[in-house]
Structures are given as structure tokens and as C-alpha cells.
Amino acid sequence: MSRWTEEKLLFELDHPGRRGVTLPAADVPEADPRELLGAMHREAEPARLPELSEVDVVRHFTRLSTFNYAIDFGLYPLGSCTMKYNPKINEQTARMEGFSRLHPLQPQSMSQGALELLYELQNRLCAIAGFDACSLQPAAGAQGEFTGMQLIRAYHESRNDLRKVVLIPDSAHGTNPASAHFAGYDVEEVRSSDDGRMDMDALKQRMETDVAGIMLTVPNTLGIFQENIREICDIVHAKGGQVYIDGANLNALMGMTRPGDWGADVMHINLHKTFSTPHGGGGPGAGPVVCRKHLEPFLPRPVVVKTGSGFKLDHDRPQSIGKVHAFNGNFLVLVRALTYIDTLGREGLPEASRLAVLNANYLRARLSEELEPGFKGNTLHEVVFSDRTLPEGITTMDIAKRLIDYGFHPPTVYFPLIVHGAIMVEPTETEPREELDRFVAAVKAVLEEARTDPEKVKSAPHDAYRRRLDEVTAARIPRLTWEPG
Amino acid sequence: MSRWTEEKLLFELDHPGRRGVTLPAADVPEADPRELLGAMHREAEPARLPELSEVDVVRHFTRLSTFNYAIDFGLYPLGSCTMKYNPKINEQTARMEGFSRLHPLQPQSMSQGALELLYELQNRLCAIAGFDACSLQPAAGAQGEFTGMQLIRAYHESRNDLRKVVLIPDSAHGTNPASAHFAGYDVEEVRSSDDGRMDMDALKQRMETDVAGIMLTVPNTLGIFQENIREICDIVHAKGGQVYIDGANLNALMGMTRPGDWGADVMHINLHKTFSTPHGGGGPGAGPVVCRKHLEPFLPRPVVVKTGSGFKLDHDRPQSIGKVHAFNGNFLVLVRALTYIDTLGREGLPEASRLAVLNANYLRARLSEELEPGFKGNTLHEVVFSDRTLPEGITTMDIAKRLIDYGFHPPTVYFPLIVHGAIMVEPTETEPREELDRFVAAVKAVLEEARTDPEKVKSAPHDAYRRRLDEVTAARIPRLTWEPG
Amino acid sequence: MHYLPASEDDKRAMLSAIGAARVDELFKDIPPEIRCEKGLDIPAGLSEQELKTRMAAMAARNTAPGGAPCFLGAGAYDHFSPAAVDHLLSRTEFYSSYTPYQPEMSQGTLQSIFEFQTMMADLTGMDVSNASLYDGASATAEAALMASRIRRGKKILVARSIHPAYREVLGTYLRCLDLDTEEVPFGRDGRMDLEALSSALCPDVCALLVGQPNFFGVVEDLPSIARSLEAVDKKPLLAVTVSEALSLAILNAPGSSGADIVAGDARSFGLPLGYGGPYLGFVTAKKAHIRQIPGRICGQTTDEEGRRGFVLTLTTREQHIRRERATSNICTNEGLCMLGATIYLALMGRRGLTELARLNLSKSEYLKEALAKRGITPLFDGPTFNEFAVKLPAGAASKAAEALAGAGMIGGYPLGGDYADLQDGYLVCATEQVRREDCDRFAEVLGGLK
Amino acid sequence: MHYLPASEDDKRAMLSAIGAARVDELFKDIPPEIRCEKGLDIPAGLSEQELKTRMAAMAARNTAPGGAPCFLGAGAYDHFSPAAVDHLLSRTEFYSSYTPYQPEMSQGTLQSIFEFQTMMADLTGMDVSNASLYDGASATAEAALMASRIRRGKKILVARSIHPAYREVLGTYLRCLDLDTEEVPFGRDGRMDLEALSSALCPDVCALLVGQPNFFGVVEDLPSIARSLEAVDKKPLLAVTVSEALSLAILNAPGSSGADIVAGDARSFGLPLGYGGPYLGFVTAKKAHIRQIPGRICGQTTDEEGRRGFVLTLTTREQHIRRERATSNICTNEGLCMLGATIYLALMGRRGLTELARLNLSKSEYLKEALAKRGITPLFDGPTFNEFAVKLPAGAASKAAEALAGAGMIGGYPLGGDYADLQDGYLVCATEQVRREDCDRFAEVLGGLK
Ligand SMILES: Cc1ncc(COP(=O)(O)O)c(C=O)c1O
Ligand SMILES: Cc1ncc(COP(=O)(O)O)c(C=O)c1O
């Protein structure tokens, strides 16, 4: 088909008199809203809701969809995002009416299948990560972090041991310091040493009894495994601190090693990364928290427990930090995750991790001919290159934008902050080798262009739905809603 | 996203060792096919079935899909094809497991809902077209024609009145003569008069007792309504002939007039046109046949009848022409059609016809500024232009191909045969006015280019996935399967 | 009216461009005496919400395989289809597009047809394939017509063991065309009676149609049949009908057993049972017969820049060019089903499909044994794939359906209705969808019938 | 392993490019003592066929609305969603893409966010909207935090009539941040007790949170509440929480009743109940507060050729730039739900949504009357939308669920667990999904309880 080059906004398409839905005929007397609601009755219809037929609406969004990239087109190498293939069966199970139409508060006797599913997923996640207990409530990784931090806080408080500080490496994702902050902690950054790992001296020096705990991403955002993770746990525990693991990178480790076995106390898992639930253009995801026994009493309530005759939501948890979600977490995301886990199973998940790491190391090997990794050591599921070897005047962003013209979504850029002009590549295990080779060829071609025809690269993309967009003006003069005229 | 410019064939992607499906573990002893099947056992695996992972396969077909046009992108003005919007609810009802998983031969006591649905659809079609009885077996329009012709033959035979000839106007669709031929008739063409209608003198002259019947498309493929259709029926009946109506253009008539009321004897209906079941890139469709009482005994068996307690398949029809389909016709297409009919209902279907005719006449009015209709008279749901006013050296095909560059699917071209270089436009009722205006603007722009830059038009398309394809060589040296190397 | 975008304003504006005052004026060619004055006698339109409730209630009045283990085959086999198939078929670019008449805008559809043709030719051991026909029954009829055009004979031999519905459709297609059929009986092993075949062969015979496996699930000895045909002067064409396409992965390709034409139904490749349709008819053939094949065919070519592309080709066979002299009247075929099968075959791969066929064989052999333990033995001793006929105690066949339905199962197919000489014959099938314990339960219920 | 494309050959080739002998070598940084020697203690993988059967069996062990008429609301309302919504959400371009960090490749997602923001701002009577938060509960908590940043006060007044789960989540969010909350009671009409409000207002109060409608379904008199706040010196912000977004179409927009911030859940707009998630939290606000809004925001801009386009903007509010000083820790939000709501609102249009809200009102009023006829009367006399609280006979509330389940219905929400003073209170809801006869039956069963 030909590409759509323009698609108006819904409000510009608004066509008074059209209908996109026919409502059922009323089988009850019509109530008079003015009489019933008095002054609180809304007289003016919401003017911005357009009048369009079903055809208009379907076309509008179908056309919009063609302006997006998708995992089903090819490699989506966003580092730290684990853009793996989203199996189609997951979409089917999540749409089974016995799941999708359930009311969250309906009697538990009418929801035994759903509770069983939650119970099984709790167990699977504990088994995979090596922990004792689980809460499925957090709606995404950041909420999992926040929940985990609160568990640590509640734990210390229960021992009357009030602490103020959380240590976080400078390579951490932005949500870590933000989550710790919203859990009421002061954040102190721990610098990385030259090998990209946490600086042990810095840690030892700072780890005092005012430190509530440490938040570590393992492998970290450079893809590097912290070899001495057990020692770190010991150091933290020795001073009464707790170890929080950001499990966003669990995709590197399944069946290889379990954070619970390192001595870690609590961790969140991004189901929308490791367990293949789709990213949806920005969610929904799910960020369950797993923890060791001593933190279990503090988990958000309710949790699902098994009874003699079935399953139930246990609300009677007096030490709980309380809810973080109005209901049972992002249940339909959880359905997808269990579908995925039970499809790959005992042998498949470890193999997925092995292949994720193999793919990343293959890309690293192939791309290292042209780009320089930010750090020297071994990496697991992702690799970060710096902009050091880019030709004069060419930025990481230029490379990223030019890759779009080659039909690829660019890697994550400028993160982690400790690598200059970071180019962060995570292929995941679902990429076939040919696709990696195609990507390597594209990167090489772009780098060659950067040397021979830099203007072309600096003004990229040329072949996308839009040329480079002016983000500065967008922020300076915000236009956040449509205005007529 | 960027456009995919190349996608290999499955066989070129074949990657030994990959798997796209995991099979369930065997819960029974493994049978030995060699032992059981002996010499009939296939030793060699079917080599052309590729080995690919699910990711590979999904990407392959997702990429392929982007090379297609679709009704959800915009106007699809293929004349005679009734490319209307395919409502999404139809896809949902057809996928309800109680329909989609039913075995065609399962006990009728376990299929009462399906039988009821068939029964209701039979009734709806009879009511809309004005007939007494219906068979839902024919799998498409052409099979409906074939079935209808057989009914006529069986009827004559039952009266020991053997006839050899069927009359068909020269404007007819190719399936008409072909279907009549396969029903064992000699086809004689009746010429159209200058107003695009059947020439009454020619008809009267030829209509003798050797003529089994006549096949008429009403409105015909020019979109013209045969005003004297009742007179035609009388003429044919007077000589003992039967009148077959090709109902492919029923979309012009719903609720306005009913073929059964004209005196017609039998007719087929294309559910994939009038009743919005999707065209699927070439089917499946459904071509039910409706007829008057005197032809009912000959309908394909079984038909669905109502009993005291429910519904049943009535096989006991001794005069039936027999089956035309192994089972119950294209049932899941029938589900979609009933969904559509019951959504629009009594008021909606006539309004659909009115708007289909309004849209077509609007296009005719707007385009007549530039193009000349093949015939002068009034037209209903479609309009055919000739190539008479095209600039010297520019063909209908050139215009069609250049429209692709403007993002439109071209109209039907070179059909009907009685209009020179026919350009046949059928917008249907689901096109919004803006879309028609956009199309008019594109046609005008192309015609302007044809005058000012004819090479551009003759070498179109320029902006599609492929430039013009060499159909002559394809037919001369057929390459119909992939060969390695 | 949410499918009808025209507002009152739109109508007014368009009418004024047309120069008409009212929409009804546009219908003035329809004489008043045939106008529909009373409106349509159908129910008023429903909202989507009401409609969906109503359809769901109708669907709920059926019991489908899945809800109940299914031992019924008889031309429609309950196989599993991976979610990826339906996901891809749901892309509007595939399901809402038209037949690829404008190839530059339809390469997605065309390339997949070419892939389908390649795989079907390979599976059947033939050189070429069409892009689909309606179903296995009409495809079989089209194959007979094709053979009669090629060999210009008037008589077609038809195995009596071909699917009864297929034979009936064949009859409907051949009746008016002055073509005779003669049935060839089966022997005690359920296979074609080769002696009867030999004696039926006469110069006027243009083709023999035989099912593989046949309706009784029995695998025919195609090479011997082919040899019988070769013994005749103007060798009649051997046309093989396949209604369980999965068998192609485990049985010798008909093409390498002497078939000239293969017709059949490929619905088993990832498409729903759907109460009988839409299914996926196909015809494949040896190269020599290309120009007599019915239906659409896609061919490879190049565009103006020399890039590979695909088009519908050999269209002079077809009705829109050749009209009454076309090789078939077919126009709309089963495009989306063809695509579904193509996706399915790509997912299964050669290894997967072969293993699946073996699993079907194993299940069916298990069922055979389970039944045998209950004293129910095969009707024929020829080899079978995933379906076989058994002999029930006298009178039991008519009671089986109800007894099994009561036990939550969908039973087999009683043969007596189609074969008066097989009154107690009962056709049963076991695919990958039935579990061992289902087979045991089935045997138990069936064994308990008296 | 059908999601894992690497064949053994692939692995070998890739290892050799890497210069490693075995895949396990790549994991050498993981010390042996923490290696997972025993493997994972989870079940072996299942084929898709087995898996689907298993999940379907689990799904069948639930009774969902649809199967049973649902009179339960309490923050989650059973509305119908047109098929077009799910169809569009199933396009891989939407559901499998990432947060639109690369705007040139994500204009589909970005434009729809801009459309969502525009419609939500309009519906709530605000100037700006974010692109979603997790759910109504956390959105309410974020609104409270936002207000405390804007007004720099330490105390937040919370209507006692706000959804109990929302209040609990609020507690979880505020607990560690040194922020106090104080509950404001409701009066006999179920609305906020304005006198109690006035006396709770003190200079340290930075915001008042109030539900509209509140948890009892009662429509608050927002203008009067706003006037009470204006009476205070440094006016606290009025933050309104909406858990039934459909009410926005029939109630005065909070923004025109004095609200400064609106937080809530827009799941009612075309998204499934889904046993509680994913839902669709949102925050809208007056322009002055733009830079304190949590979550993603999309803004309009132009590309190098001057064409309109959209980008994520004001990102300096966010964690990936501002880290611990961000306005929220949120990263992944509820993008696809946002898109679903946008599609739904586009389909409904202003007229459709208004009519649907009226239909809900009518159903609920009918239910009120049906219950009244059985002697069950409202607990509060304030006006309500599609949900209201009634008083059951003593002890009946605890028996209702079972009695209704027995009659094939999903009952209401007993208030006693959350409100000790409302032991016999029972919250019921009627949307467009319940029919008149369902209401009658519901009233009958409930009226029969003693
Ligand atoms: C390392 C890391 N931690 C935490 C997160 C936050 O997870 P979420 O986006 O689910 O809130 C991310 C997400 O990108 C991440 O990459
Ligand atoms: C006028 C007319 N008649 C008959 C047919 C044949 O219908 P089908 O393609 O369903 O076999 C068509 C289809 O294009 C047609 O336009």
C-alpha cells in the first residue's frame, strides 16, 4: 500500500450528526437528569468528543497505526527494555471471557480460577527468583520499586530502627532514585568503578547504620554482572541494611542464578520485559515484588493463599504496608505472563536467558569492530557503546535517527548516564541471527555515511513519517491539547 | 514506520532446526508409521515446508501485510465488488467458539443454535429479496449461479421440457455465461441497446421455447436499472422460460424493490458484497440462492426447517438437485452476514441502499466534469466511465496505476466489456463524503498530469511497493512454484 | 446507523451537487408498481450490545469440540490451530482486501498465494497448484471436469469409498454435462477392488477418482491402482481426492504414486471446523495440465525495475476472460483460508507437520486398541491414518450418538445411511485433540452399547 | 522452544564470532556458588494446545458478568465495549511498540495521546491532562502529592466517602512522606459534611480530596465545597477523584465546579473489567500546575519541514531526567489502555457518551424504584448517577452475595466492612448492561432476604 502521509486529528475530522455506536433501546422509563441532578447536571455536551461513524474511527486509528514501528516488523533493540516477541497465544488467553470480564470484587466463590492463576504466578515468580513470598499488585516496575522500598521501611520501623538513606549506584535507572524518594528516603549515589561495577570501597565506606538499604540492578544497566554480589549483601546486612534488587534485567539470569540465593531481600520483576507481556506503546505492564520471609508480613494486602478447598484473598495482614493498587494488580497482564512462563517452562526459560546473552554478545562482538563498549568487562544480555569513536560532529542521536531510515528502531540512547553518548543495545533471545546481521550491516553503513556524508546523517531521518521533530520548542511553548482555529 | 522494501519467500527464509510450533507430548504409545503404512509411508519430509520460529513466521506475514491495501485505509472503489466497510463485530461473532468450533456432522441436538441461525438467515434473505425459499449452501456468487441454473434445469426436466439455451446480456459478468455452461446450457448473448439496457427487440425475437431461461443482473453492471423488468419476466414466462437474477448488485435495492416481486424465479445473493462479509483477498464469500415456490423442491439438500421443538436439517428432498457443498455452506460467513443484517435491520438496510446510490451519483456528478459515462441514463450504485475523453496515448490502465500513487485502490477497469476502456466506480454507502472528495481530487490531478506529464502517468505506479509488473511474461513463461537456486 | 457516515448535511450537499432534491429521486427508474411499499419484513436493527448478547446466546445453544471430545471426522477433522494464525488473519490488510487484481497494491496476498502453491505442490507431489477452490467436494468435481477436458472421455470411474458428500456434489456437477460416472467397489480390506477396477476400464473412461485416505480412513494402494490404469490404452487420468490434508505428511505423495491430479480440502491446515465452512478446496496437477486447471493461479514475474513480484496469471483460463469457455465458473474463492493454511504450514514446518501426523496415527491406533479391548473391531483390515471404521453390535450405531452426547462426547459417523451394506459400520477418528483418557471413556461408552 | 529462533548451527556460528566455545562461558562472571544447579522448580513447558486447554479450564472456573448480570460497581463498572476497540488494540503496531521515545517512529501512538489529553481535559473541564497513570487509586495519591508540592502544605483533607481502596493506597503513598491526612465525614445525604469541612480547614491544609460521584454513588455539591475552600486564606487545592468516568458526561465538569486537579480512572471508557487491571489512571489540571503533573505528557510541535508532529514533552518533570526530584517515579504507564479509551471516546462521540450516561441514570433509577417496591430504600438522599447505597434488613447484607449467586447474579457491595457505622449498607449499581428484568429479579431476591 501507499504510505499515509497525513492524518488529521479526531477533532478536525469531527462531523456533526455522525454516530460511531448505536446504543441499546431503553427498556426502562427515561429518567430526567436535570430533575435528578439539579445544578450538578452537565448541560453542555463535551465538545471535544468528535462525531464520527465507526468507519471513520477505524480508519483513523488504522492509519495512525501505520506511523508506528512494531516488534513484529523486526529488531527493536532498546537497551534496558527487553523488547522480545509477544506471543500471540498470550493475547488469546488474556481475552478469554472468564478472565477479561471478571469484576475485581465479585464473590471469591465465583472467581476460583482467577485466584488459582494468581496463586500459581506467585509461586512461579518465587521459584524463578529464589524468594519466599510475592505480591502481584504493583502495576509496573517503578511501583514495584516503591513497594519494595516500603517493605524495607516497614521492616525497619517494625524493629524501631529508623533509617534515612538508600544507596543507589550512578548507573541506575531513573526510577530507582525516584522510587526511593517517594518512599521517604534520601538517596545517595554510589559511584561505579572503572569496570562499570559498583565501587566496593565507596560502598564499604558509606554503609553505616543510617542506611536503610541499597538498590542494585543485576546485571546492571551496562549488562555487567556484579560478581561480588554476595559480598555486597553481606556488607549491607552486616550494618542492618536491606538489599533491593531491581529485577528489570532478569532476562539475563533465568535458571542461571537466583537473586534470592545471593542474599538479597526483595526484588521486583518487570513482567513486560522478562515475561513477554507487550509494551503497549507505554504500558500496561506489571511489576510484582518478591521477597524473603522476614519481609512477607509487610506485603501489600491482600495476597492469594491456598485453603483446604480452594484459594482466597487474604486481607487479614495487620503489618501490611497497605494496598498499592485499588484491586488485584494488572490481572490481564498477569494472565499473559503465566501463559508465557508455562509455555517455556523449566527448560525453556533458562534457554531464553542463554540465548538472550548469546545474541547480545554476538552483537557486541560484531559491533565492536566499529564502536567502543563503554566498559571493558564481560556483559550479559545487553551492551552499551560510547560515542567516543563516532566521527567528529556526529552524535549518538544522529546515528539513532539515521537507523530509522534503514528500517530499524534505534537503540536506547544517552542512558546509562555513566557512558558518554551511550548507545545501549539489547536484542533479546527472540531475534534470529539474520536480523542481528541485518542490524550490524545497517549500523556499519550508517557509520560509513557518517564519515563520507555526515550531513545526511545529521539531518536524518529522511524516510520516516516525520523528519526530526523540534522537542525544544515543544517544551518551551507547550501545546498539550488541541485548540480550534 | 519505514516501509519494508523486500521480503524473501518462506523457502528462502527456511532455517533448518527452527520450530514454529511445539506439539503436545504424546500420552499414548508411539505408533510406527513404517510398520503400519508399509510402502505407502512417506519417507521424505515435505521439503518445501520451511523451518522457522513463530517470530519468523509472524514477521514474515506482518511484513507481507504491509504490501496490501485495505478497506480500513480508505476508499476501495472497485465497481461490481461492493467493497464496503467490514464491521468488527462480525469478526467477533464469527469467532465465538460455539460457532467456530462446531463439527458439521455433529448431532443436530448439539447444534440447535447453529441451525436456528441458518433458519433465520434463510428467512431474512427471502424477506429482503422477496422469495419463498432459500439454500445457503453455495460458497460464492458463481456457485449460486450454477445452483440456480441447475434449479431451472431440474424444473424443466421435471416437466419433461428439455431446453438447451440460456440468454445472457453482453454486459454480464463472466461468471454468468460460465455458470450456465457448466449447468449444461448453450449460452447466447443478447446485445444491449444504446441506453445500456437489454435490447427488448432482440429478446423478444430470440425468446422461443428452446430457451430455458434468462440471466439478468439488476441493476446491471453499468448500474442501470432495467425499468421494464416485469415485462421481461412476462416475455420469458410466456415462452415457458425462467428468469434468473444475478443479485450481485442487490446493494442498490434493499427495501426499495424486491426481485421476487418483479416475477423473477430464482436469484443468488453475494453476502460478501451486499452483506459486508469481508473479501479476504479473494474469498471466502457466500452465494445463497433464493427462489419461488415452484423451484423449492429442487433446492440443494439439506435445508433447515423448523420443527415443533427446534430446528433440523431436512435431507428428505427427493427432487433435490443434490448437494453443491460437502457440508452446510460457508457457515462462518453466514454468521457474519446475519450479524450485519440484524445490526442494520428493517430501517438500516434500505438506508444503506439509498446512501450507496447517493454516493455513486455524487461521484458520477463530480467526475463527469472530466470523464464521460459509458451510457447516458440514470445509474444506481455504480457508474462506468469510458476512456473516450482520456488524452491521446493514455489508457484506462495508466489512470488506474497512477491512482495508486495517490494512495487509492483503482476502480475496476475494462469491465463491463461493452464500455470502451471501462472505468467502473462503486463507492458503497460506507464512504464518507470527504473520502469521495479526496478521490475526485486525485482523479482530477491524475487527468491533469495525463495532459501535462503523460510519461509520469504511463510509467506509474512510482510510489508503490512495486512498479508496474510484467504480466505478459508471467503468462508466457509460467513460474508457479518456487525453485531453489 | 453507525456504519453509515452520511449526516443530513452531507446528504443535502451531495444532492445539490447531483442536482436532485431527494435521495428517492435517484431511484426513479424503478417503476412504482414494483416499489417496496411496506418496507422489509425483518426485525428492527439492534445495537451492537444487544446483537452480541443474542449471538452469544445462539452460540451457547451448541456444544462444540473442546467442550466435548470429538471422535467425529468424516471429512472434517478437529485439529489445533496456533494463535498466530488467527492473529495474522485478523490484520485488515489481509481480510478486508479484494482479489489481487492490482498486483502493485496486493503483493502481500500474491506472495502468500505463491508460497501456498509451492507448498501444496510439494505436499501432493505435483508440479503446480491453484490458489484455492470452494471446498474438497467441489474441488473433486472440478478435477473430474478437468480430466474430462484433458482426456475428452465421457466416463468417469469413481471409487465407492470416496466421501459420500463429495460424490453427491460430483453428481450435481456432472449431471448436466453429459458425463457418466460408474462406481468402483471396495474390497474386504476397505481398499479399491482392483479386479473390479480392471473390468470397469474401457476406452471411454477418462479418469478414475479415488480418495486417499478414503472415506473409511483406509489408505489406498495408489501405485497398484496406477498400474491398473497404465494397462489401458489411452491411460485414464488418476485423480486423487484428499479430504484429510494432514495425511499428506505421512503418506506417500499422490504424485509419486502415479496421480495426475490431486483435489481435496486443506482445511485441516489451521482453519476452524466452523460447522462446515469456509473450507479450503484445492487442485494440484502435473505441469502438462496447467492450462486446464480451474481457479486462480499466481505466477512470478518482475517489475519495471527488474524486482521480483507476483501476479495472477494464466487468466485466459478464467471466466472473466474466457466466459463460457472458461475452465471453471469460479471467481471468489477461499483466499483468506488459503492464507491461513499458508501461515499454518509455515509454522508447522516439515518436521512439525510430520510429527503431528505421527501423533494422529498414534492416537488413532490407541483408539483402535481401546475399542478392540471392548470387543469392537475394525470393519476393514487395510491400513489407516487417523480414522477407521468399526463394526458395532447390530442396532448400536443408531444409539451411539445419544449415549455419547450424554457422556459429553461427540461420537463417530454411522455408515449405514450412505452404505446400505454397512448397517453396523461406524466411522471414528482420533486427532491430537483427544486425550488418552477420552479414548478410554469413548471405548467404554461404545462398548457398553448393546 | 518455538519463540527461540536460534538453531544449533546459529549458536555455533555466533559463538565463533564471539570467540567462545560454549554459551555457558558467557556467564562466567556468575560465581559458581550462586549458580542455579538444580534448575528451576517450575513445571516443564507446555505446547500451546495443552496450555490453551489449561487456561480455558481456569477461565471456566470463574463466573463473569455476561454469564451473570452484575449489580456490582464499587469502583469498577460493567460497560459494553464495541468490537472496534479491541480490533484496533490488537494491531501489533499499537500493542507491541514501546513508549514513544523516538517520535519519528511513533507518531501513531503520540497523536493518539494528544487526542486523549484533549478529550480528557474537555471532559474534566481542565486545561491539561497527562497520558495515564496506573489506576484511579494511585492517580488519586499522585494528585495529593502534586497538591502538596504546589501548596507546600503538610496536611491533606480526605473525604471519608472516597473509595476505601483509594484511601488505602493514598495512605501507602503518603505514609512515608511526612504528610498528614484527616478525614472529612459525610452527612445524612451522603454528601460531604460542609460544616465539618469548614472546621477542619486550617492553614496547614494544602488540599481537599473528594470523590465525584463519591463511593456511595452520591453526587457531591462541588461548588459549595469549592466555596468553603475559598473562604480560607491560602486556598487549599480542590482535587476531585472520579472512579466512574462515564459520570463526566452527565455531571458538571469538576473544572467548572472549582476543582484544581482531577484524578481518577477512565477504565469505564471501553476497557475490560479484567478482575481489576489493567485500568486507566489519569490526572488533569489547570494550566498553572503543568509542571507538577506526574506522568508522561505529549505536546505538539513541528518537524524540520514544518509539518505538525507530536513528542513527549516537559520531560524534565520525569524520573529519567530529574531522578529523585521527579514529580513521580512512574515510567511504564497504561499506554494501551489510554489508546483504548481514546478509540472508545471517538466512537461514542459527545452525543453517544451523553446518551449512554443518561441510560445508566435511567437504569439505576429504575433499580431504585424496583428495590423501593420491595421495601429496600436508599441509605442517603443525595442525588446519584448509576450507583447508590441502600439499607438492607439487619444481617441481610452478609447473606446477599450467596443468595444472588444462587440466582445467577453478581450482587452489590456490603458497606459494613469499610464503614462500621453502615453495617446494613449495601452498594448497588446498574449500568446499560443490566436489563429491566434483571433489575426486577435482583429486587425480588434481595427483597426476600430476612
Ligand atoms: C533497569 C530498569 N529499572 C526499572 C525500570 C522501570 O520499570 P517500569 O517502566 O516498569 O516502571 C526500567 C524500565 O525501563 C528499567 O529499565
Ligand atoms: C455482477 C457479478 N456477478 C457475479 C459475480 C460472481 O460472484 P462471486 O465472485 O462471488 O463468485 C460477481 C463478482 O464479482 C459480479 O460482480
Side-chain angles (χ1 to χ4, degrees), chain D residues 62 75 87 97 173 190 201-202 231 238 265 309 320 322 325 331 370 409 412 446 449:
Chain D
N62 303 309
H87 170 84
S97 54
Y173 270 78
L201 285 169
C202 64
L238 176 57
D265 202 307
H320 63 283
R322 188 62 59 86
R325 285 182 308 281
C331 177
M409 288 180 276
L446 219 53
L449 289 178

Side-chain angles (χ1 to χ4, degrees), chain A residues 80 140-142 145 173 175-176 217 221 246 248 270 272-273, chain D residues 98 331-332:
Chain A
S80 211
E145 296 167 14
H173 192 266
T175 50
N176 291 8
T217 308
T221 58
D246 175 337
N270 299 60
H272 44 301
K273 299 184 180 187
Chain D
Y98 200 70
C331 177
T332 293

Side-chain angles (χ1 to χ4, degrees), chain C residues 78-346:
Chain C
D78 182 27
H79 293 297
F80 182 77
S81 179
V85 175
D86 192 55
H87 171 83
L88 290 164
L89 293 185
S90 300
R91 282 188 68 80
T92 188
E93 293 89 336
F94 285 134
Y95 86 81
S96 85
S97 53
Y98 200 71
T99 299
Y101 286 144
Q102 293 288 341
E104 296 84 0
M105 232 175 181
S106 317
Q107 285 297 301
T109 296
L110 284 161
Q111 180 166 333
S112 64
I113 298 178
F114 189 78
E115 293 172 341
F116 174 78
Q117 290 175 179
T118 302
M119 292 196 283
M120 287 308 291
D122 184 33
L123 278 165
T124 56
M126 291 290 174
D127 301 316
V128 290
S129 168
N130 70 3
S132 82
L133 293 170
Y134 302 134
D135 71 349
S138 67
T140 300
E142 294 268 18
L145 296 176
M146 177 178 166
S148 82
R149 286 192 300 270
I150 295 168
R151 278 286 182 270
R152 293 173 196 278
K154 284 272 163 233
K155 191 164 182 180
I156 293 165
L157 301 182
V158 182
R160 190 169 170 243
S161 58
I162 280 190
H163 196 300
Y166 285 29
R167 279 185 289 135
E168 186 171 344
V169 172
L170 183 67
T172 312
Y173 270 78
L174 298 188
R175 179 176 309 113
C176 336
L177 288 179
D178 235 14
L179 296 170
D180 288 343
T181 62
E182 184 181 323
E183 285 192 349
V184 185
F186 46 87
R188 298 198 37 178
D189 58 358
R191 291 174 152 186
M192 177 164 282
D193 180 336
L194 292 176
E195 284 182 26
L197 169 62
S198 293
S199 56
L201 285 169
C202 65
D204 206 29
V205 171
C206 61
L208 167 69
L209 299 188
V210 55
Q212 181 69 321
N214 66 26
F215 186 61
F216 310 124
V218 172
V219 177
E220 296 279 3
D221 179 4
L222 288 184
S224 302
I225 293 172
R227 271 192 299 277
S228 303
L229 298 186
E230 271 153 24
V232 190
D233 254 7
K234 204 179 101 197
K235 172 186 165 291
L237 296 182
L238 176 55
V240 173
T241 285
V242 177
S243 57
E244 171 47 307
L246 180 59
S247 69
L248 292 166
I250 200 165
L251 299 183
N252 249 334
S256 45
S257 305
D260 302 285
I261 303 173
V262 181
D265 202 307
R267 187 213 56 86
S268 281
F269 294 155
L271 303 170
L273 281 169
Y275 206 50
Y279 280 19
L280 178 51
F282 69 88
V283 163
T284 63
K286 295 288 185 191
K287 203 177 250 144
H289 310 314
I290 284 186
R291 302 208 178 243
Q292 289 302 339
I293 290 186
R296 312 240 183 250
I297 294 180
C298 166
Q300 179 179 325
T301 186
T302 50
D303 78 354
E304 276 177 14
E305 295 177 14
R307 294 174 299 184
R308 176 169 69 188
F310 304 92
V311 295
L312 292 181
T313 192
L314 303 178
T315 51
T316 51
R317 298 166 302 112
E318 292 188 63
Q319 43 74 28
H320 62 284
I321 309 280
R322 189 61 58 88
R323 300 181 76 86
E324 66 269 25
R325 285 181 308 282
T327 57
S328 166
N329 65 335
I330 197 166
C331 177
T332 293
N333 46 107
E334 310 287 296
L336 199 70
C337 304
M338 182 280 324
L339 176 64
T342 308
I343 297 166
Y344 177 87
L345 290 173

Side-chain angles (χ1 to χ4, degrees), chain D residues 389-431:
Chain D
V390 292
K391 194 172 161 53
L392 293 187
S398 61
K399 296 180 225 149
E402 203 175 325
L404 289 161
M409 288 180 276
I410 296 176
Y413 186 86
L415 291 169
D418 300 296
Y419 298 92
D421 47 336
L422 303 177
Q423 275 311 327
D424 303 317
Y426 191 68
L427 191 61
V428 298
C429 165
T431 70

Side-chain angles (χ1 to χ4, degrees), chain A residues 1-4 18 54 56 58-59 63 66-68 71-74 85 404 431-432 434 438, chain B residues 1-4 18 54 56 58-59 63 66-68 71-74 85 404 431-432 434-435 438:
Chain A
M1 53 142 297
S2 273
R3 221 173 338 181
W4 292 102
R18 290 196 185 158
E54 181 174 320
D56 298 316
V58 167
R59 283 192 178 159
R63 291 168 174 178
T66 67
F67 308 152
N68 272 7
I71 191 75
D72 288 342
F73 290 138
Y85 170 67
I404 294 176
E431 289 308 317
E434 316 85 85
R438 206 169 65 87
Chain B
M1 52 142 299
S2 272
R3 221 173 336 183
W4 292 102
R18 290 196 185 158
E54 181 175 320
D56 298 317
V58 167
R59 282 191 180 160
R63 290 166 175 179
T66 67
F67 307 152
N68 272 7
I71 190 76
D72 289 342
F73 291 138
Y85 171 67
I404 295 177
E431 289 308 317
E434 314 85 85
E435 186 69 3
R438 206 169 66 87

Side-chain angles (χ1 to χ4, degrees), chain A residues 48 120 150 257 323 466, chain D residues 34 54 122 172 301 308:
Chain A
R48 286 292 174 270
E120 289 202 347
Q150 291 246 20
T257 181
K323 282 169 162 297
R466 282 292 180 264
Chain D
I34 53 171
R54 192 166 170 278
D122 184 34
T172 313
T301 186
R308 177 170 68 188

Side-chain angles (χ1 to χ4, degrees), chain B residues 80-81 140-143 145 173 175-176 217 221 246 248-249 268 270 272-273, chain C residues 98 134 331-332:
Chain B
S80 211
C81 298
Q143 206 180 31
E145 296 167 15
H173 192 265
T175 50
N176 292 9
T217 307
T221 59
D246 175 338
N249 293 341
H268 84 264
N270 299 60
H272 43 302
K273 300 185 180 188
Chain C
Y98 200 71
Y134 302 134
C331 177
T332 293

